Amino acid sequence: MDKFFEIIFTTDFAFSIFRVTTPILFAALGALISNRAGIVNIGLEGIMLTSALTGVLISAYTGSALAGLLGAMLGGMLISAILALFTLELKTDIILGGIAINAFASGGTVFLLYVLTGEKGTSSTLASKMLPDLHIPLIERVPYLGPIVSGQHVLTYLSILAALGVYFLLNRTPLGLRIRAVGENPKAAQSVGIRVKQIQYIALVLSGLFASLGGAFMSMGYLSLFTRDMTAGRGWIALAAESMGRGTAVGTTLTSFLFGFAQALANALQLLKIPSELISTVPYITTVLGLVIYSYRQARKLRKGR
Amino acid sequence: MFKLKYFELIRTLAVIFIAMLLSMLCITLISKQPMETMRVFLLEPFSSMSHFGNVIEVAIPLMFTGISVSLLFKMKMFNLGAEGIFFFSGLVAAAVGIQNGLNAFVHPLAAIAAGGVVGAVISVIPGVLKAKWNANELVTSLMFNSILLGVGLYILNYFLRDASAYTTSSYKIQQTAVLARIIPGTRVHIGLIVVLVFIALAHVFLYKTRWGYELRMTGANREFAEYSGIKTGRVIVYVHLLAGFVAGVGGSVEVLGMHPRFDWVALPGYGFDGALVAMLAKNNPAAVVGSAFFLSYIRIGAEMMSRYSDVPAEMIAVIQSVILLLVSADQFLKFWKNRMLLKEAQKNG
């Protein structure tokens, strides 16, 4: 047990929480935007995976990490635009559409990787680039704070900024107001002249953009290559985070950090002599528990309201 | 009304046709010998008894998970837990199958029953959470898949693992528990008959019993069903029990029929495939047979293709997701249906 606390109370551990929260936070922000527009984007997992691969491929072929990042973002937006096309125009059920996107990404990335490199499973033969870590001058020197806050990956900082940005977008801009109006009651929104479908397109593509940043982090920050199914359920955890965060930017960010903490804990506990198979389930169990507590309280509130 | 009645069928066939065209396109772009690759993809599954046997072997688990998911989707419960349950129940069945001292009749029955019951018990958890507190069953069931994989691997590695085996796998399943082969020259086992019985039972349950009626009503409109006196919470719970049981039996049958040892170290994917089978079958148990066989056929075709040519089997994932997107797209070919409706109306009016 002493060893356990020795691991938890270190700057390394605090540092790692930010690191593992990054992809979850990005995807959760994506979930937030589309949910507020009334669309449950189940395809986040697949969008992240596709972006993780496009980032690696484009950075390897152009030799530029920035081009890779842009490619990943475009890839993510493209996939979510396709999802939007099917759900908004062809009326595919959004849940099934999302499942299809995930299946497509899981097999399609392996397929594309094989066709381009002859490798299945990992992109280790590609010389793909990584996005850099940032060291913040001055703060870097502050004891305790410095080793935690400075030296994080550039996308980790961006994820915090993105959370602020989404808060601002939803609560302080006309577009955010429209998104919320469409999600709240599409018919009422339409009656005051909001183009519902257009807003939903924008929300879904933005959702894809955020998820793609999470994907780019996975293959150009968290790891330095693409491996098959590397997102490992983070898109789903993000959906739970959004749902538990009550559809607000602040709540979603906080629950993302909670799940990030669980994941960091699982990583850290691998140093102890607890079977790794069981430890790997910690983030998922936390997610289920969180969702249950949230739903329980929601249901009680509803009953009281009646 | 003749044509309209068959609209759904024609639409599904059109989707399959587009999917096949797309695979031809993929092959033409990638393969160095496209004609030969296409031949392998389309015809190799029929080239020998053992290859066609493969198609049947793969169709069996797809039918099991197809029924399981159909029951849930019919209720509009988007629960994908069949994946984890299939894996975990397979492990449970293997654990029973490893034990000594039961005869060849009781042993497989006991193993399959154990797998089925465990499947039902696991499946009911997201069901109860949904019925009582409206917890999103999609997210909980997916989290359960990852949890079941972790716990299952722990049990495999710490309690069932045969250290003398070369790979990560359990002790050998006793000969008494192995399911009998029924078609010579193939590995098709008695599970085929079991699954066909399950399909018949699911059909009767859905369309001929009160519970099945309640299930369909709740799926069509939960609030209306509630107002007309159906306890929809209870329906949600028993549909989860049944779906979990079917998926659990499926996992058990698959392990006892096809695997000398339990050797899954990752989720086998049959649960997610079940969603595709159910969609293609429009959540109708009888149609699950056809859609499972079609899926199994293109699977085996793709596997043969990756074995004998230069196109990888993962191509099938792309094709499958296109099928899923189009099949569930309400508006796809709707204009055609509308035109037929109009014609019909004009003729009658």
Side-chain angles (χ1 to χ4, degrees), chain A residues 40 42 82-83 86 89-93 95-97 99-101 103-104 106-108 110-111 114-115 120 228 233 236-237 239-240 243 274-278 280-281 283-285 287-288 291-292 295-296 298-299 303, chain B residues 26 30 73 78 80 129 132-136 138-140 142-144 146-151 153-154 157-158 272 275 279 306 309-318 320-322 324-326 328-332:
Chain A
V40 191
I42 301 289
I82 293 173
L83 181 62
F86 269 94
E89 306 292 344
L90 289 169
K91 303 287 177 217
T92 296
D93 185 287
I95 307 271
L96 295 166
I99 294 172
I101 293 290
F104 171 81
S106 176
V110 177
F111 179 63
Y114 178 80
V115 169
K120 274 188 187 180
R228 76 184 299 165
W236 301 108
I237 294 179
L239 281 176
S243 159
I274 303 173
S276 61
E277 297 91 341
L278 291 182
S280 72
T281 64
Y284 308 109
I285 292 175
T287 309
V288 171
L291 195 65
V292 169
S295 308
Y296 170 71
Q298 258 330 69
R303 227 162 279 160
Chain B
C26 266
I30 293 162
F73 277 17
F78 292 108
L80 294 177
L129 294 178
K132 263 186 104 90
W133 300 319
N134 202 27
N136 187 330
L138 183 72
V139 176
T140 44
L142 281 159
M143 294 296 121
F144 264 72
S146 302
I147 296 170
L148 287 173
L149 175 66
V151 175
L153 288 181
Y154 168 71
N157 281 329
Y158 284 79
F272 292 135
M279 279 310 298
S306 70
S309 80
D310 49 357
V311 179
E314 275 79 6
M315 182 188 89
I316 224 64
V318 180
Q320 281 177 2
S321 31
V322 171
L324 190 54
L325 277 176
L326 284 176
S328 58
D330 263 353
Q331 294 293 313
F332 176 64

Side-chain angles (χ1 to χ4, degrees), chain A residues 255-276:
Chain A
T255 28
S256 297
F257 270 95
L258 175 70
F259 294 151
F261 174 79
Q263 186 108 45
L265 195 63
N267 292 349
L269 288 181
Q270 277 169 5
L271 300 173
L272 299 179
K273 277 186 183 151
I274 303 173
S276 61

Side-chain angles (χ1 to χ4, degrees), chain B residues 5-34:
Chain B
K5 214 170 94 187
Y6 293 101
F7 175 73
E8 280 299 325
L9 181 68
I10 293 170
R11 218 176 65 118
T12 309
L13 290 178
V15 171
I16 289 174
F17 182 70
I18 292 175
M20 293 315 264
L21 273 186
L22 191 71
S23 29
M24 298 298 116
L25 185 73
C26 266
I27 291 174
T28 318
L29 287 177
I30 293 162
S31 180
K32 290 198 182 70
Q33 305 155 292

